[in-house]
Amino acid sequence: MTKYFGRAVAAAIVLLATAVVSDANAQSLQDIKSKGKLQVAMDTTYPPYASMGADMKPVGFEVELATSIAQGLGVELEIVPVTSTNRLPFLLTKKADLLLSTVTINPTRAAQVMFTNPYTNVGFDIIAEKTKSIKSSADLAGLKVGVIRGGAADPLLAAIAPKDATIVRLDDVSGCMQALIAGQVDAITEGSLLPAKLNASAKAEKYEKKFALAESHLGMAVRPGAFEFLHWLNTFLYVSKQNGQLAALHEKYMGYALPQLPTF
């Protein structure tokens, strides 16, 4: 009996310590309002989600979404530039209050951060020049295939790539595009919107989707324990969907209607 009681006490201490750590990392609405600004971690090299405009100011779907969130909180918006590899650490080390940066929702990341409900979907495809005959994963044999290092598509590609395919891991979407254009890779694994951007850059219908890998959903992320902030963000998304604001932003930047999104 004493042994089981001791185990129960030990378990309770671990749970209490975890709760204290989560509380220390939590982000409250009052914290943000007292600061007078909302710091949002965002990759500004990934149009149409976020990029630098001609005036060198951030523009895009996620930028305008973040602007609306800051306005709803009654504070200024500060965009904190990040990459796909450092975006979670920036949030977890309190360099940002919110992560809004094409982050796909998955269990691995959910062990580190808390996700909002999705605000859009994303399809991951194998993309290459139209002249290349690539119809399935078997056709990647002997080819160099680029992917963002540590991004959502990285494990998807690793799971289907033939043994003699070479996976070239790059820092961001711009790096993937440049590697494909320069012929440093034969194909890339990226979002379904990328062929249009590549063709616009080439000023020719040169690139296309070869086959689909998976569809995922993008969510905003907050630090563990920030339940009040998470609830506010999910309420904001609900209202934005109900009043048509999210659909209008989506159509404006993504070029297609807001899809039916799951909730959890």
Side-chain angles (χ1 to χ4, degrees):
M1 184 73 173
T2 303
K3 178 174 69 173
Y4 292 123
F5 178 75
R7 288 178 179 174
V9 170
I13 291 172
V14 171
L15 287 173
L16 179 60
T18 301
V20 170
V21 171
S22 293
D23 186 63
N25 286 329
Q27 183 77 40
S28 73
L29 292 178
Q30 190 54 50
D31 290 337
I32 296 169
K33 290 180 179 180
S34 296
K35 189 169 55 174
K37 64 180 177 180
L38 175 68
Q39 293 173 295
V40 179
M42 187 179 297
D43 182 351
T44 56
T45 68
Y46 200 173
Y49 301 98
S51 61
M52 302 305 291
D55 58 358
M56 297 308 295
K57 292 182 180 179
V59 62
F61 176 49
E62 292 181 335
V63 175
E64 199 157 336
L65 183 58
T67 300
S68 296
I69 292 170
Q71 288 173 347
L73 289 168
V75 296
E76 297 294 320
L77 171 65
E78 179 185 329
I79 292 178
V80 180
V82 293
T83 65
S84 60
T85 53
N86 69 14
R87 55 190 178 181
L88 259 69
F90 263 58
L91 176 67
L92 294 172
T93 56
K94 303 183 181 181
K95 293 177 182 176
D97 306 310
L98 174 65
L99 177 56
L100 176 49
S101 185
T102 62
V103 183
T104 53
I105 299 168
N106 63 44
T108 300
R109 289 172 176 157
Q112 299 176 275
V113 299
M114 297 198 304
F115 280 108
T116 65
N117 287 319
Y119 57 89
T120 189
N121 65 342
V122 59
F124 290 107
D125 303 328
I126 295 295
I127 300 164
E129 290 187 13
K130 291 184 176 183
T131 54
K132 290 193 178 294
S133 179
I134 302 173
K135 296 180 180 179
S136 69
S137 59
D139 295 324
L140 299 177
L143 301 184
K144 294 181 179 179
V145 187
V147 68
I148 295 177
R149 181 184 297 104
D154 195 338
L156 297 176
L157 176 60
I160 62 98
K163 289 183 178 179
D164 58 346
T166 302
I167 297 177
V168 180
R169 292 179 170 86
L170 301 152
D171 290 336
D172 51 32
V173 68
S174 296
C176 286
M177 290 176 61
Q178 290 165 10
L180 183 61
I181 292 169
Q184 296 168 343
V185 296
D186 301 292
I188 58 174
T189 307
E190 247 307 315
S192 55
L193 298 177
L194 203 62
K197 180 169 176 56
L198 284 163
N199 288 330
S201 178
K203 297 181 180 180
E205 293 297 310
K206 188 176 180 181
Y207 302 94
E208 67 180 3
K209 162 188 169 179
K210 294 301 183 178
F211 63 90
L213 286 184
E215 181 184 23
S216 299
H217 293 90
L218 306 184
M220 295 178 272
V222 298
R223 289 193 289 276
F227 293 103
E228 180 191 34
F229 190 21
L230 183 69
H231 175 69
W232 188 93
L233 289 167
N234 278 329
T235 303
F236 171 87
L237 285 174
Y238 167 77
V239 172
S240 296
K241 283 191 276 188
Q242 291 297 108
N243 65 19
Q245 180 185 10
L246 186 60
L249 282 181
H250 199 276
E251 186 77 40
K252 175 181 176 180
Y253 289 104
M254 307 303 288
Y256 63 97
L258 181 70
Q260 190 73 27
L261 298 172
T263 59
F264 53 84

